[in-house]
Amino acid sequence: MPTGVAVVCESENCLAVYLAVKTGDTDEERSAAEVSEMARKAAEGDGWVISFGIGQAVMTCPGCADGRGPVLERGTCQRCMGLVDTESRCVYCLHQAEPEQAGEG
């Protein structure tokens, strides 16, 4: 059964979520630590910022990291689940959505 791992922005009042890793599609067993590391790396590769708090990684979405956040309205952006405007661009992280992601296709 497929499962997924989400990374959430740890900035105050931010609703950003990054659906980072799909697991369970193979018979390969993975530890929680391994899956968490995969999720952090995937999010980092898509503009999320990692820093370290007391004993754990702290993730910040691209919008909060660049001063445009926090994400206050959910939408269809694949990078942060923020609201996408009429030009198919996320108003928080500025990710340009593909037409089918923005509901145009």
Side-chain angles (χ1 to χ4, degrees), residues 2-80:
T3 59
V5 176
V7 173
V8 296
C9 182
E10 298 192 43
S11 298
E12 189 172 338
N13 299 320
C14 188
L15 301 175
V17 176
Y18 182 78
L19 300 176
V21 179
K22 291 181 181 173
T23 62
D25 293 335
T26 67
D27 292 332
E28 185 179 333
E29 292 284 326
R30 293 187 174 106
S31 70
E34 182 181 7
V35 172
S36 292
E37 181 64 23
M38 290 170 61
R40 282 193 299 272
K41 285 182 179 182
E44 270 190 294
D46 212 3
W48 285 63
V49 177
I50 187 170
S51 57
F52 292 92
I54 300 172
Q56 67 180 6
V58 176
M59 298 301 295
T60 305
C61 72
C64 286
D66 290 342
R68 289 181 302 276
V71 172
L72 299 174
E73 296 176 86
R74 287 265 169 83
T76 58
C77 177
Q78 286 191 321
R79 185 181 285 167
C80 71

